[in-house]
Amino acid sequence: MFLDSYYLEENGVFSFTREQASHFAKKIAGDFNPIHDEDNKRFCVPGDLLFSVVLSRAGISKKMRFEFAGMINDGIGLKAKHSCFNDFAIVDDADKEYLHVTREGDITTDKALIEQVTKSYVQFSGMNFPHIMVPLMKSKDIMINTARPLVIYESMEISFDRLDLTCPTVELAESEIEVEGKRGSVTLNFHFKENGEVVGTGRKRMLMSGLKPYDQAAIDDLVERFNARKAEFSAIAA
């Protein structure tokens, strides 16, 4: 699978290098958050990469819920710890939990379908900033700290009507933002579509902290820096 170059695995334990995680964020997800840069002191592995690896290893169930519990650094060995077949956690050697997964219904391990779902979802997810986040923040007259932007995964759910699919794509259905003081959350509801038909739904929830009054000039600068980083990486990759 295309994911093979983005993680390491030995004896059932998998891990990520900074280069693998950073390249996945930029090449696959179009995510240029500085926190995924190889040389960032606050570096963490993208939640979308962990989600993708779990799907590649566990398959896709008709219903799945993912609850993110911690930020993953490079070199941490991870493995699945099962409470039962449909309830498991991704933990490290010290039993610290980073992701909790529950699932129900039929399961498919079709590699082509898993790759299609993964790529389609991750590319959609990478569009969060600036296309979705900026209008939402402006609507509430708040913004993240543009000097140290940090938006983290809280949870994600997916549900399919059926699994005999070949090329489902992801489309945004609805987005909403909730603010309480300097903290807030963004929820993205999305559809899986195949041949124009809705074949599944999903929901992604992210948390924000350190919120400030909305400043258009600061946002414009953040978007400009984002686009410059994207252009620079594309030039290097080419």
Side-chain angles (χ1 to χ4, degrees):
M1 284 185 68
F2 80 103
L3 277 177
D4 291 346
S5 61
Y6 294 109
Y7 74 103
L8 305 171
E9 181 177 4
E10 185 175 0
N11 298 324
V13 176
F14 63 96
S15 62
F16 309 95
T17 67
R18 290 195 171 209
E19 181 182 39
Q20 287 173 323
S22 183
H23 282 199
F24 177 90
K26 297 173 174 64
K27 289 183 177 180
I28 305 300
D31 180 355
F32 289 84
N33 188 329
I35 202 168
H36 303 315
D37 288 350
E38 295 176 52
D39 58 354
N40 194 309
K41 292 181 180 179
R42 298 191 299 154
F43 171 86
C44 78
V45 173
D48 283 339
L49 177 52
L50 179 59
F51 161 76
S52 299
V53 171
V54 169
L55 283 194
S56 72
R57 294 163 63 89
I60 298 175
S61 299
K62 289 190 76 173
K63 291 187 178 182
M64 304 185 79
R65 176 174 173 81
F66 304 81
E67 297 177 67
F68 294 82
M71 298 172 73
I72 301 173
N73 210 321
D74 60 302
I76 295 178
L78 301 169
K79 59 186 176 182
K81 179 181 179 181
H82 286 260
S83 298
C84 62
F85 181 74
N86 287 330
D87 188 321
F88 63 93
I90 302 299
V91 301
D92 62 17
D93 288 341
D95 228 23
K96 178 181 177 181
E97 184 174 309
Y98 295 89
L99 177 68
H100 194 98
V101 183
T102 53
R103 59 185 177 179
E104 60 181 272
D106 296 338
I107 298 174
T108 178
T109 56
D110 183 289
K111 291 183 178 181
L113 177 59
I114 293 172
E115 181 171 327
Q116 171 62 25
V117 169
T118 298
K119 283 186 174 180
S120 185
Y121 169 75
V122 168
Q123 289 166 3
F124 159 78
S125 181
M127 293 176 60
N128 290 343
F129 185 87
H131 305 89
I132 299 172
M133 290 289 296
V134 170
L136 285 176
M137 292 189 294
K138 188 173 183 178
S139 73
K140 293 291 185 179
D141 198 32
I142 55 91
M143 67 180 190
I144 54 178
N145 183 342
T146 55
R148 297 181 67 185
L150 182 61
V151 179
I152 61 172
Y153 256 142
E154 182 198 56
S155 62
M156 203 260 282
E157 302 172 26
I158 56 176
S159 177
F160 290 94
D161 300 329
R162 53 189 176 85
L163 294 175
D164 57 336
L165 305 170
T166 56
C167 195
T169 58
V170 177
E171 294 182 11
L172 178 67
E174 183 183 22
S175 59
E176 56 187 70
I177 183 171
E178 297 180 1
V179 178
E180 187 173 341
K182 292 188 176 184
R183 296 181 179 274
S185 65
V186 170
T187 301
L188 305 180
N189 295 298
F190 54 92
H191 291 149
F192 289 99
K193 282 188 172 183
E194 183 160 290
N195 299 322
E197 175 192 0
V198 175
V199 294
T201 59
R203 180 176 180 269
K204 173 183 178 179
R205 180 177 164 88
M206 299 170 289
L207 301 179
M208 306 179 294
S209 60
L211 297 179
K212 305 168 65 175
Y214 189 85
D215 182 329
Q216 188 63 58
I219 288 293
D220 289 344
D221 178 67
L222 180 60
V223 173
E224 185 176 335
R225 283 185 279 134
F226 173 89
N227 289 331
R229 287 164 53 79
K230 185 175 183 178
E232 180 184 5
F233 181 81
S234 297
I236 295 173

